[in-house]
Every structure is written in structure tokens, then in C-alpha cells.
Amino acid sequence: MSEQINPFVQEDGKKPSCMQMLQIILDEQSTEAQQEYFKAHMDRCMPCFKTYNLDATIKELLKSRCCGGEAPQDLIEGIKQRIDQQRPQ
Amino acid sequence: MEETPRQTYTEQQKNEVFNNEFLPLVHAMYNFAYRLTLDRDDAKDLVQDTYMKAFRFIESFQTGTNAKAWLFRILKNSFINDYRKKSKEPNKVDYQEVETYYNSEDVNRQITADLRVESLKDMIGDEISNALNSLEVDFRTVIILCDLEGFKYEEMAKILDIPIGTVRSRLHRARQLLKEKLSEYAREMGYKNT
Ligand SMILES: [Zn+2]
């Protein structure tokens, strides 16, 4: 396989680890070139492939299970009331 | 508060900013506060305090900038100043170690075989939420900001007043701990993880 330019390499020339690449991809802070590179990388790196699937599943579950609730109505009313009191008459 | 050029808002503009930009975020704010305090009443107080401060400091908020990041930062600071001090819990985490490990070669030796996607999919109760709540608050916080609320590393660094490198290493460690907790649950559910 020909040596591709690694788009994850930092300005200081430091090559990132598998884990660091994975983190950038997982958290959607990657460029298109990085995504392409990582896709190809996963084809030949089993740990990355497995970890990526696991981490992405956990991330999805966190989002669907741990947020989306509503704030209590009395809290919202309380805030509005308190703000009204602060306003100049 | 961060030093930003003060805005001059008329009373009406203040109301508009508050009602249109701040108030709609109350649900995300409440969720954040609850995940930090793990108590519904404390969460309500914390959110209320945060909104009062936001209203008082409204002139340091620039319209068009990220209201959510701004409010989350105020909430996080209120939590540290008003709630954490009360608990007087000693900090058990060695962050230097977290960072050193992150930048070392060892970091690639991950616990990957230990937890499987299939066992996660069977966790249909409160396992995920409980696992998150079990983490030490600083680790919990980075996961909330990143995975639940979708903040970028740079925004997280500003909200938490820490360098981006620290955001990354803390996030990595937090996820490791979360996975360890989830594998515990998976074992209890009768999965053989390997
Ligand atoms: Zn890899």
C-alpha cells in the first residue's frame, strides 16, 4: 500500500495514536480528509474498528437515554417571576 | 466573568435576549444541573441562580455568540462555588496522571474485548444513566458537555476553563471509566464479556 499523507499529523509533526484519531472522529471534530483516512485505517486496524463501534454505540445511548427531559414548569415560572421583580417599574 | 466589551441594551432588548436566547435553553440547563448535583431540588436552585446571574450580567453577553456555552459556563461556576464547596469532598483524581497517561504509548492498549455492543443494546433500563452518574463529577461533566450536549472541544475548554489538551485527556479517561462501569453491569446481566 502506498504511503498516504496522514491528515491527523499535527503541525509539530507528531503522529497521533489510534486512540487520538478515534476520539476526533467520534466527536465529529474531523475534516473530510481525516474521515477518509480513518475509514481506510479501520480496514486494517481491528482494535480501532471494534472500539469505534463500541464508542459510537455508547455515545448514541448516552444521548438518547440521558437527555431530552423537560425542566419542571414551576422552575420556569419561578425564573420569569424573579426576573420580572428585577425589572425597573 | 470573561472580559468582553460591554453591550448596551435597552430594557426591551434585554427582555428579548433573555426570552428568546436564554429561556429556551432551560431544559438543557436543568438536565446539566441535575447531572451535576444528582438532586432535583438542588438542580432547580442551581438553574434559578444561573438565570439570575445571567440577567444581571446580560451586558457582558454579545448577541450572536453562543448563548448556550455562555450559560453553561455560568452554571458550572455556580456549581463549583456554591455546591461543591459545601460538600468538602476531597478531590480524588490525579489529573496530572490522567494527562501523562493520555500522552503516553500505553494509551493504545485499550480495554476493547471487555465490553460488547450486543450487551449494551440489552441495557434498556437505567444502566447507562446510572453508569454516567457513578462517575466522579469532573469526568461526568466532560461526557455531559461532549456526548449529551454536543459541545466542541474548544467550547468545552472555555466552559471549564481548562486547556483543550486537558479536555481531550479527561474525556478519554472518563470514557474508559464509563466502559468499566458498563462492563460491570454487563457481567451482572450474565454476559461473558469475552
Ligand atoms: Zn488503529
Side-chain angles (χ1 to χ4, degrees), chain B residues 145-156:
Chain B
L145 295 179
C146 183
D147 295 336
L148 273 55
E149 298 300 335
F151 284 110
K152 300 291 170 207
Y153 299 151
E154 216 178 281
E155 294 166 332
M156 290 169 68

Side-chain angles (χ1 to χ4, degrees), chain B residues 34-172:
Chain B
Y34 172 64
R35 293 280 163 193
L36 289 176
T37 58
L38 302 177
D39 181 282
R40 302 267 171 213
D41 289 328
D42 284 348
K44 282 208 268 190
D45 290 344
L46 185 53
V47 172
Q48 183 141 317
D49 288 352
T50 305
Y51 272 100
M52 293 308 118
K53 282 181 192 158
F55 188 73
R56 232 181 302 138
F57 301 149
I58 204 160
E59 279 164 345
S60 27
F61 174 75
Q62 278 176 288
T63 42
T65 61
N66 192 338
K68 191 172 165 185
W70 192 74
L71 289 174
F72 267 58
R73 185 167 181 276
I74 299 177
L75 193 148
K76 185 265 322 181
N77 286 337
S78 301
F79 172 69
I80 290 175
N81 294 329
D82 303 339
Y83 288 82
R84 248 179 133 175
K85 273 185 191 154
K86 278 187 217 153
S87 75
K88 295 220 165 81
E89 210 181 302
N91 195 347
K92 288 161 286 184
V93 184
D94 183 345
Y95 291 109
Q96 193 51 49
E97 198 185 322
V98 168
E99 208 151 332
T100 310
Y101 173 77
Y102 183 80
N103 293 307
S104 73
E105 296 293 322
D106 290 346
V107 79
N108 272 322
R109 268 190 273 127
Q110 297 235 36
I111 8 120
T112 47
D114 198 25
L115 183 63
R116 304 173 68 160
V117 172
E118 299 78 61
S119 45
L120 284 174
K121 301 249 158 147
D122 284 341
M123 294 183 182
I124 47 173
D126 295 330
E127 295 91 345
I128 308 284
S129 178
N130 292 345
L132 175 63
N133 292 354
S134 78
L135 299 184
E136 207 273 337
V137 67
D138 285 327
F139 290 131
R140 216 187 307 147
T141 306
V142 286
I143 292 199
I144 298 166
L145 295 179
C146 183
D147 295 336
L148 273 55
E149 298 300 335
F151 284 110
K152 300 291 170 207
Y153 299 151
E154 216 178 281
E155 294 166 332
M156 290 169 68
K158 282 186 192 147
I159 293 170
L160 300 173
D161 294 300
I162 53 177
I164 287 193
T166 309
V167 170
R168 289 174 197 250
S169 59
R170 208 174 279 187
L171 195 52
H172 176 69

Side-chain angles (χ1 to χ4, degrees), chain A residues 18 41 45 48:
Chain A
C18 280
H41 172 81
C45 181
C48 270

